[in-house]
Structure formats: C-alpha cells, structure tokens
Amino acid sequence: MPLVYRPARAEDFRRADELVVASINDLTERHGFGSIASPRPPNFQLFSLKDDASGLWVAEEADEILGFAWSWVCGELWFLAQLFVAPGQQGRGIGHELMKRTFEQARLSGATTRALITFSFNTVSQGLYIRNGLFPRYPIYNFSVARESLKGHLRASQFRHSRLEETAPHLNSLARIDARALGVSREKHHRFLINDGATKGFALYAGDDCVGYAYISADGHIGPLAVAQPDALGTAFETALHLAAEGSSSQVSAFLPGTGAAALEIAVGHGMRITLPMVLMSTRDFGDWALYLPRNPGFM
C-alpha cells in the first residue's frame, strides 16, 4: 500500500505516542542518555485537535503509523510540538512531507514566527529545520534533583503565591506577563493547564502586584514559569522549587534556558544537574527568554 499523509484523528494518538516514545528512546539511547520517554495521556494533543486540527498529521502505510507531526498556534507564534518518524523509516522524506503540512497551518493562521525545541544532539533533525528556515537560538537544559536532596538547599526568599483560577483578573495578569515574556497571549493554554488535574498553577506576588506565574506538575516538574521583569526570575524560580518540594514526587525538574542566568545559578546551587541538552530554534528572535521557563518541548 502507498504511503499516505492524512490529518490525525483522536483514535490515532495512542499509536502515535508509541511511535514518539520509541523514536525518542532510540535517539537518546544511541547518544548515551538511556531511555527517557514513557507513554503519557494525550490530553494536550486532544486539546490541540479540538482547538485547530490543521496542525496534526500522520504518515501511514499499510495501517501502520510511520510518522507524526503536531503544531499549534497562539497569535503570531506557530510552534512545532512534535515531529517524529519511526526508527528505521528515516531517509524516506517523511519528516519533510509532514513538516510541509504543518507549515500550512502557520501560513493560514498568519503566524509570523515559527519555532520549536529539539534535542541539541539531534543533528539530522536540526539540518531539516535549518533547511526550512528555523535556526538555533538558545540552549535549553533539563535540570533534575532528588526532592529529598533539594529540601536541604532551599532558601527563605519567596514571592507570596496563590492558586491560579480561571477568572478574569488572573487571566488578564497571565496575558500581561506572557506578552512581556513571549510577545503573545497564551490564554487558551492557561485555561488548559488550570483545568488539568495533574498540574497546579500559582500566581506570584510582590506586594499586591502579580509579577509572575508558575505551574507545578504532579511529577515534580516546574513549568511553564514566567515573570514580567528579569530581576524577578530568581525569586520566582526559588518559589517554584519550594512548591515542588512540598509535593510527593521523588524528583524535581525544570527546563532552563541558557539566557536565564539567575535560574541557572539557583539550580546548580541547589544540587540540580543537567540531564538533557536541548535547543530553541526559530525563524527569528522572539520574546525574552530571560523571563520564561518552558514546560516541555511540546507545550513550550
């Protein structure tokens, strides 16, 4: 049967996730990082499918999914959340064809910036992205530490915090902070996270001013986190570490851009270690990455 490219459907996500997990682990094992990926519920994929199905595609041959691509748009920003081809199927042009189809979402939406986050050691994919006009901008490092070890390093400096709610005051504050940090509003994605039972969101306050926000996942992962001013990043990250340490996960982790010196210094000082090096690629510079810590390479 011929290789077919078609829009993804909800019933594809289980098989697509199996492909993504296998592809990531094949790559990280070959580069000495071991297996890092495991199956996850496709909650954000389903949200994106409902929000704008034009960004989700599969490559299929004989009822087998050989490739999966997923992108989303917020305002002027188009973001490639995932692009994976099954191990053993690279070299057939599948990634290029899938990328062309997700690029159509960017064109139709009028997005002026295209971006993604990928493994810095994935040179084959970076070559594909560069050929399509996305260039390396900033390193991003995944840091991790045992929660019990982190407790012994925590400092007293924190912002006052309260749980985020899907209310106009909170959403307005989040939009203002995102506009400063990223240049776009991500209101729909905040609504998704606020209603995600596995994630807790917090507004961060200096006095009466909302100066940032942070989300903490049940597995101890911090992000996204954003602040309105560079001098708030260190205290915001310190606050998020306190919140994550109060949980029950065995590890605490975060993705830290290389431009966020304050967060990087705190991470190293708290015994956190780099587990994965990644890189932000885009068609042009956007946002201020000294103000923002991404959630993961799919959500950003």
Side-chain angles (χ1 to χ4, degrees):
M1 295 181 66
L3 181 61
V4 174
Y5 298 90
R6 62 168 175 80
R9 302 184 290 261
E11 56 267 30
D12 295 323
F13 290 151
R14 180 187 59 80
R15 289 189 296 154
D17 186 59
E18 291 173 355
L19 179 150
V20 169
V21 169
S23 299
I24 291 174
N25 288 336
D26 176 71
L27 178 68
T28 56
E29 287 171 5
R30 285 191 282 111
H31 286 83
F33 292 93
S35 297
I36 67 165
S38 58
R40 291 179 176 270
N43 297 338
F44 191 47
Q45 292 93 322
L46 290 167
F47 172 88
S48 298
L49 183 69
K50 183 177 180 180
D51 177 63
D52 183 357
S54 67
L56 294 107
W57 290 82
V58 297
E60 188 175 55
E61 186 177 55
D63 290 329
E64 181 181 1
I65 293 179
L66 303 184
F68 176 63
W70 162 32
S71 59
W72 50 258
V73 174
C74 274
E76 296 182 351
L77 174 63
W78 173 92
F79 192 83
L80 184 62
Q82 289 184 342
L83 175 59
F84 288 99
V85 176
Q89 298 296 327
Q90 288 87 0
R92 298 180 60 184
I94 295 173
H96 177 71
E97 289 298 323
L98 287 170
M99 195 164 189
K100 281 196 329 187
R101 286 158 173 79
T102 58
F103 269 177
E104 186 66 8
Q105 180 193 35
R107 187 188 69 80
L108 292 173
S109 69
T112 56
T113 302
R114 303 178 185 187
L116 59 90
I117 295 173
T118 189
F119 298 107
S120 60
F121 48 82
N122 192 355
T123 54
V124 173
S125 290
Q126 287 182 60
L128 170 65
Y129 301 141
I130 289 170
R131 288 193 296 274
N132 283 277
L134 290 93
F135 298 96
R137 303 293 174 181
Y138 310 110
I140 297 177
Y141 305 102
N142 187 56
F143 277 80
S144 183
V145 66
R147 184 174 62 89
E148 289 302 318
S149 174
L150 174 64
K151 287 182 177 180
H153 292 86
L154 292 174
R155 303 166 187 166
S157 178
Q158 292 188 67
F159 284 129
R160 180 173 64 85
H161 53 83
S162 66
R163 285 290 299 271
L164 284 170
E165 298 177 351
E166 196 176 356
T167 62
H170 277 177
L171 292 173
N172 289 339
S173 293
L174 295 172
R176 172 178 54 82
I177 294 165
D178 281 342
R180 175 71 178 86
L182 295 174
V184 296
S185 170
R186 298 189 67 187
E187 179 177 326
K188 63 184 180 183
H189 291 161
H190 284 291
R191 291 181 185 272
F192 168 80
L193 286 179
I194 290 170
N195 290 289
D196 177 20
T199 306
K200 294 180 180 179
F202 299 88
L204 308 178
Y205 295 90
D208 293 329
D209 296 329
C210 183
V211 296
Y213 65 79
Y215 289 91
I216 315 294
S217 300
D219 61 2
H221 188 71
I222 296 167
L225 178 153
V227 293
Q229 298 295 333
D231 59 6
L233 181 64
T235 305
F237 186 51
E238 186 78 42
T239 305
L241 288 171
H242 276 268
L243 292 166
E246 292 173 358
S248 59
S249 64
S250 61
Q251 296 289 123
V252 172
S253 59
F255 282 100
L256 306 183
T259 51
L264 289 167
E265 289 177 359
I266 290 171
V268 172
H270 285 37
M272 302 183 79
R273 295 292 180 264
I274 295 173
T275 59
L276 276 177
M278 310 200 79
V279 61
L280 172 75
M281 304 182 71
S282 63
T283 51
R284 66 179 181 89
D285 284 327
F286 71 99
D288 185 341
W289 288 77
L291 303 178
Y292 189 79
L293 309 184
R295 175 178 173 85
N296 57 45
F299 187 93
M300 193 193 78

